[in-house]
Amino acid sequence: MSGVPLMAYLALGLFMFTTGVVGVIIRRNPIVIFMCIELMLNAVNLTLLAFARYQPSAGSDPVGSAMAGQMMVIFVMAVAAAEVAVGLGIIMAIFRLRHDIDIDEMNLLRG
Amino acid sequence: MDLDSSLLIFGALGAVAAASAVGVVAFGNAVRSALCLVANFFTLAFLYFTLNAELLGITQVIVYTGAIMVLFLFVIMLLNIGAPQALTEKRDPRLLAGYAFGAALFALLFTQVILPLKDLNQPGSPDAYGSPQAVGRALFTGYVWPLEMVSVLLVIGIVGSILLAKRRI
């Protein structure tokens, strides 16, 4: 039986998420910004798993009802993998075009 | 307040995870940030184990600390060969605004979302809910259509990244 309260997991997840948000705001290197986005996704994964573990067992099928959080985490991981592959490809393409990846200099999409 | 072993383990793992998360943001060098992120993901896998989600912990090690971080380090290495100056950052003027926004977000979510849940302290789901059998059964019965959609998404991602790497934009 775990003696750790749910609040501890949620507080850790919230701290990691906030750190990721601050990193996205203050950093200018797009690769580090990507890492901060991964940090936020992982914080959300931790929160989902903590909720899946601590939810009150309900109904006639307690294992099945505890699955929703884990399924969500699996799909978040798959989407994150695809996102990283495409995003880093875009960063490499921009780098080949401009030989510079500073996020403040990227104004190609400015209207 | 009694200290039992699970609380100590959580404290140690949580401290490493929080410190490495700060390191990702604080280090100026992208390679150091990436190594901090590896440490963070690896610690998170053990936190998943403490939540009885064994299969997802192993998946975390394989997918995140294995595949995704290798991709990150590979791109950093490619950019370092091409242009070492592209990875250095200029001083940022929005530092204070970022910290203030982060502190405000933390305070808001902590008081409004987490504090109301402070009475929920006992794990409710059965101990075997994260075993490969349980996850596999759920994945291939109730969640089989999302699973197929994820496979389509991954194929699109592979084709898209190959296109981005090949074509002259």
Side-chain angles (χ1 to χ4, degrees):
Chain A
M1 191 59 72
S2 172
V4 185
L6 171 67
M7 222 177 96
Y9 285 103
L10 295 186
L12 178 62
L14 174 59
F15 179 77
M16 280 173 55
F17 187 85
T18 320
T19 313
V21 171
V22 171
V24 169
I25 294 175
I26 70 174
R27 297 300 297 262
R28 297 160 62 140
N29 187 336
I31 298 176
V32 179
I33 289 177
F34 251 80
M35 290 182 202
C36 291
I37 293 173
E38 293 298 311
L39 204 60
M40 288 153 75
L41 286 171
N42 271 280
V44 172
N45 280 354
L46 179 67
T47 308
L48 284 171
L49 280 180
F51 275 127
R53 173 73 174 141
Y54 282 82
Q55 72 160 0
S57 55
S60 58
D61 184 18
V63 175
S65 71
M67 275 301 147
Q70 292 194 76
M71 295 298 119
M72 198 72 191
V73 171
I74 287 178
F75 296 135
V76 167
M77 279 181 181
V79 173
E83 172 238 344
V84 165
V86 175
L88 290 178
I90 290 174
I91 289 177
M92 288 305 294
I94 290 175
F95 173 73
R96 275 198 318 227
L97 188 70
R98 306 181 45 129
H99 293 281
D100 187 26
I101 50 168
D102 194 312
I103 202 86
D104 286 342
E105 309 294 326
M106 289 183 193
N107 49 13
L108 289 175
L109 293 182
R110 181 168 291 167
Chain B
M1 187 177 175
D2 56 333
L3 271 180
D4 61 355
S5 60
S6 60
L7 210 57
L8 284 176
I9 292 171
F10 175 82
L13 290 174
V16 174
S20 52
V22 170
V24 174
V25 178
F27 277 123
N29 187 336
V31 179
R32 286 186 186 161
S33 293
L35 291 179
C36 273
L37 201 58
V38 172
N40 188 17
F41 288 168
F42 198 67
T43 320
L44 269 185
F46 286 95
L47 282 171
Y48 292 176
F49 290 151
T50 65
L51 286 168
N52 274 30
E54 293 92 1
L55 184 70
L56 280 171
I58 294 167
T59 315
Q60 169 88 5
V61 172
I62 293 173
V63 172
Y64 273 110
T65 59
I68 290 184
M69 289 320 295
V70 165
L71 207 57
F72 269 115
L73 289 172
F74 206 78
V75 169
I76 291 173
M77 192 193 73
L78 279 177
L79 291 180
N80 246 334
I81 291 172
Q85 81 282 356
L87 287 177
T88 58
E89 283 184 58
K90 286 185 256 106
R91 191 76 190 140
D92 204 291
R94 289 160 303 184
L95 214 59
L96 208 62
Y99 288 142
F101 181 76
L105 185 69
F106 187 90
L108 179 72
L109 287 180
F110 193 83
T111 52
Q112 299 302 313
V113 180
I114 296 184
L115 277 185
L117 289 167
K118 68 176 184 297
D119 293 330
L120 193 55
N121 286 331
Q122 286 305 316
S125 34
D127 280 342
Y129 86 113
S131 66
Q133 289 91 344
V135 175
R137 185 166 294 121
L139 204 55
F140 287 103
T141 53
Y143 293 87
V144 68
W145 285 112
L147 184 73
E148 297 299 326
M149 287 303 109
V150 160
S151 68
V152 172
L153 175 79
L154 285 177
V155 170
I156 294 173
I158 291 169
V159 173
S161 47
I162 290 174
L163 261 182
L164 278 173
K166 281 285 177 198
R167 200 176 59 190
R168 183 62 65 178
I169 300 175

